[in-house]
Amino acid sequence: MLDQYGRNITYLRISITDRCNLRCKYCMPDGVTDVGMKNILTFEEIWEIVRAGVSLGITHVRITGGEPLVRKGCVDLIRGIRAIPGVETITMTTNGVLLRTYAASLKEAGLDGLNVSLDTLDFEEFASLAGRQNLKEVLDGIQAAKEMGLPVKINAVNRKELNPISLVLYAQQEKIPLRFIEMMPIGLGKKFETIYNEDILEELKKQYPDIQEDRQIHGNGPAVYVKLPGGQGSVGFISALHGKFCQYCNRIRMTAQGCLKPCLCYGKGVELKDIFDRHEKQQRCGTTMADQETLECLYQAITEAIQLKPKSHRFENLSEITEDKKMSQIGG
Ligand code: SAM
Ligand code: SF4
């Protein structure tokens, strides 16, 4: 479906839990509490929303969190989404800690690919950044996904401690696409110094002076790629801050609590869980709202969220950012 600026919205990101098994300092450090199971969408509700979304033009779904693999039944949820006619691809963003355990069943459930978040290859730094010593499990999880034939990409968020060369070398060795992501001023991210992708690229150029622009399309996201010399692979840059790509934005995001967000920057969203809660209340009172009516309400709500999509974010001006949710609730 087209929004009011002519962008075709085909991509739905779903945060299926705000819980996580890591405690990344810029996302969900110790002390951040979760919203509780009774406040998050059930699998049936998520399937219903995807069905409504598909009939409005959604073709790609990404599952995220919190950490999606900590939600019990995550694989069944994915299998259910995969079975919805019109869902062309379903992918997941994960920290990779539980990937070795789930790689085979994710593949069997029909997952099309994984983005694994990996900010450092240094064991001490990982523990300090993520609050847990799980780097070995993450690396092992990436291997397991590869063994299963699941396409993997690595995402690293820029921080001043980032060692881009080490990540490039690892990605080359593993033959995995790597993308650097500018830290966005959302949630705890506001407290971190902004490191622009331009600076990361400059650092890479010192090591690889013959880097070239890569015009090949990689996936359906906003990353811009460069080719390392001698066929040594590509590196992507997702530059939400200095390289605004809002005119190409094709996505809406749903929080674990069922708030459908038109844009990362703004708190305004459309509450989908209310629709199901209303339905349930009416059932209890014996005045059942027909399932068709629920579906109609979902169409209207999703349409409203798409039409509410602003022309662009305003991350450059902190006073205009109205989103106060954490990234662990939104899903990145
Ligand atoms: N737990 C999963 C993971 O870490 O991949 C999925 C959820 S996590 C919120 C999704 C992505 O958002 C991760 O790659 C994480 O690094 C990124 N992220 C979190 N806070 C961010 C911020 N302020 N700016 C940019 N990316 C952020
Ligand atoms: Fe958890 Fe992902 Fe947030 Fe890290 S970035 S705390 S792994 S949700």
Side-chain angles (χ1 to χ4, degrees), residues 198-213:
E198 277 176 353
D199 300 333
I200 305 289
L201 181 57
E202 281 314 306
E203 211 172 323
L204 294 189
K205 278 182 179 164
K206 286 183 203 149
Q207 182 87 4
Y208 306 98
D210 297 326
I211 273 178
Q212 282 174 357
E213 196 184 335

Side-chain angles (χ1 to χ4, degrees), residues 13 20 24 26-27 64-68 93-95 115-117 119 155 157 181-186 188-190 327-328 331-332:
R13 293 177 68 99
C20 189
C24 303
Y26 55 79
C27 180
T64 174
E67 172 49 38
T93 298
T94 171
N95 62 29
N115 287 355
V116 180
S117 305
D119 294 334
N155 287 340
V157 178
I181 300 180
E182 286 177 350
M183 179 89 71
M184 289 177 270
I186 295 292
L188 279 299
K190 284 192 184 120
M327 269 302 198
S328 50

Side-chain angles (χ1 to χ4, degrees), residues 199-244:
D199 300 333
I200 305 289
L201 181 57
E202 281 314 306
E203 211 172 323
L204 294 189
K205 278 182 179 164
K206 286 183 203 149
Q207 182 87 4
Y208 306 98
D210 297 326
I211 273 178
Q212 282 174 357
E213 196 184 335
D214 181 355
R215 290 182 180 276
Q216 197 192 324
I217 309 269
H218 299 252
N220 62 0
V224 171
Y225 284 80
V226 294
K227 269 196 283 200
L228 300 173
Q232 295 182 76
S234 286
V235 176
F237 296 93
I238 301 179
S239 312
L241 296 176
H242 95 274
K244 253 190 192 184

Side-chain angles (χ1 to χ4, degrees), residues 104-125:
S105 37
L106 287 171
K107 173 78 180 169
E108 172 272 323
L111 193 77
D112 292 297
L114 289 153
N115 287 355
V116 180
S117 305
L118 179 62
D119 294 334
T120 177
L121 291 160
D122 182 283
F123 281 81
E124 247 175 64
E125 204 204 333

